């Protein structure tokens, strides 16, 4: 945008724009912000959404100027994990939507209300909730079932040609639902414990998807299916590397929206 550098230039600009400077400024096209749905699976890495990943997704979406609405299925969790012990809390039961509301600061809706008409893209953060509450992958592996609403959302966005972002373990959802999709969960060998969940890559191939090896700071873009994935906490590494990889995923999702 031009800046006035003296009375003469300001006068010239007023004469050039029939409505004055205000008309000159408003003549530039204004782009509508991308509307992005974020689907959560509870609250806490071992039985819900990985909180660091969800926060990273939200920060990068905010930085990218996106409008965000969060959703979660209104269903019971598979189980509750005491995160201080890493063990099941046998006497407890929790609801995925209610727990996800903790991350969303209360601003959340049932996944049943999510439609492609209201959003330009959808993103699924990771955490074991994606494999326990959004699907049965944690128990059934390649023979898993995907939550009915999750499957509907994935198929609807894919059919509409709208981008889908997934990180950590959640790419298995796309691998199961979208035949032939390309995804990444990082490396295919554990490499001394750096990639402790490397076996997931094999399961992704058994599901009929293509696995692409990527570093934790990278994202893989399946341009045909508009599916963008990044390894996140599938890798044992410093938090800022996870943050950067999720940033790459979000950036590519927003780019694919064309907003």
């Amino acid at each position: 945008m031009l800046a006035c550098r003296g009375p003469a230039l300001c006068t010239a600009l007023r004469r050039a724009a029939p409505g004055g400077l205000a008309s000159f400024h408003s003549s530039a096209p204004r782009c509508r912000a991308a509307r992005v749905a974020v689907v959560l699976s509870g609250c806490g890495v071992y039985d819900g959404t990985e909180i660091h990943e969800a926060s990273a997704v939200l920060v990068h979406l905010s930085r990218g100027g996106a409008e965000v609405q969060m959703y979660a299925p209104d269903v019971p969790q598979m189980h509750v994990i005491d995160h201080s012990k890493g063990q099941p809390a046998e006497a407890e039961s929790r609801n995925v939507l209610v727990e996800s509301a903790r991350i969303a600061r209360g601003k959340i809706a049932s996944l049943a209300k999510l439609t492609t008409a209201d959003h330009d893209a959808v993103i699924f953060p990771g955490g074991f909730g994606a494999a326990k509450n959004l699907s049965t992958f944690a128990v059934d592996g390649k023979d898993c079932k995907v939550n009915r609403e999750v499957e509907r959302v994935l198929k609807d966005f894919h059919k509409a040609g709208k981008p889908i972002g997934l990180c950590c373990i959640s790419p298995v959802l796309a691998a199961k639902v979208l035949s032939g999709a390309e995804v990444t969960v990082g490396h295919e060998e554990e490499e001394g414990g750096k990639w402790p969940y490397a076996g997931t890559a094999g399961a992704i191939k058994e599901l009929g998807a293509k696995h692409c090896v990527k570093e934790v700071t990278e994202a893989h873009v399946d341009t045909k299916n508009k599916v963008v994935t990044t390894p996140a906490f599938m890798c044992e590494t410093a938090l800022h590397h996870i943050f950067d990889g999720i940033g790459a995923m979000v950036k590519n999702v927003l780019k694919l929206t064309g907003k």
Side-chain angles (χ1 to χ4, degrees):
M1 185 177 293
L2 293 173
C4 291
R5 299 179 183 273
L9 180 54
C10 286
T11 299
L13 289 175
R14 289 190 183 96
R15 290 174 177 170
L21 282 175
S23 175
F24 183 88
H25 292 164
S26 64
S27 65
R30 294 181 181 180
C31 297
R32 180 175 59 79
R35 301 166 300 172
V36 181
V38 175
V39 180
L40 304 178
S41 60
C43 183
V45 57
Y46 298 124
D47 58 11
T49 305
E50 211 300 320
I51 298 173
H52 296 298
E53 291 181 12
S55 295
V57 167
L58 296 173
V59 168
H60 286 294
L61 285 173
S62 176
R63 186 167 287 160
E67 296 176 1
V68 177
Q69 172 64 50
M70 284 172 268
Y71 297 88
D74 188 1
V75 296
Q77 290 187 183
M78 184 187 115
H79 60 185
V80 177
I81 298 293
D82 179 340
H83 281 60
S84 69
K85 300 176 181 178
Q87 299 175 351
E90 300 294 349
E92 289 193 48
S93 63
R94 299 186 185 184
N95 178 278
V96 175
L97 178 61
V98 173
E99 290 301 295
S100 297
R102 296 174 180 272
I103 297 173
R105 297 173 63 86
K107 297 178 181 179
I108 195 165
S110 170
L111 187 59
K113 297 181 179 180
L114 173 53
T115 68
T116 57
D118 295 327
H119 300 284
D120 301 305
V122 63
I123 293 179
F124 292 79
F128 280 93
K132 294 179 177 180
N133 304 326
L134 303 188
S135 72
T136 64
F137 183 80
V139 176
D140 300 322
K142 67 180 179 62
D143 298 316
C144 68
K145 295 180 180 179
V146 175
N147 172 277
R148 179 170 52 86
E149 291 297 337
V150 172
E151 182 175 3
R152 174 188 64 80
V153 167
L154 288 169
K155 287 183 176 179
D156 285 355
F157 274 79
H158 182 256
K159 183 178 180 180
K162 294 185 175 183
I164 301 166
L166 311 101
C167 62
C168 194
I169 190 65
S170 67
V172 300
L173 303 173
K176 176 68 176 181
V177 174
L178 305 178
S179 179
E182 298 177 2
V183 301
T184 188
V185 289
H187 286 207
E188 299 180 354
E189 302 292 335
E190 291 191 15
E191 299 176 19
K194 182 178 180 181
W195 297 91
Y197 309 106
T200 306
I204 284 171
K205 294 175 184 178
E206 290 182 305
L207 286 169
K210 178 180 179 181
H211 183 260
C212 303
V213 174
K214 290 287 180 179
E215 300 301 328
V216 69
T217 55
E218 298 177 317
H220 178 72
V221 182
D222 177 351
T223 54
K224 178 182 177 181
N225 294 296
K226 290 191 175 181
V227 173
V228 187
T229 51
T230 190
F233 277 104
M234 299 299 275
C235 181
E236 287 288 341
T237 188
L239 181 58
H240 66 278
H241 295 313
I242 308 292
F243 186 85
D244 290 346
I246 291 174
M249 181 265 286
V250 170
K251 181 178 180 180
N252 280 286
V253 167
L254 293 178
K255 182 179 179 180
L256 287 172
T257 68
K259 304 297 181 183

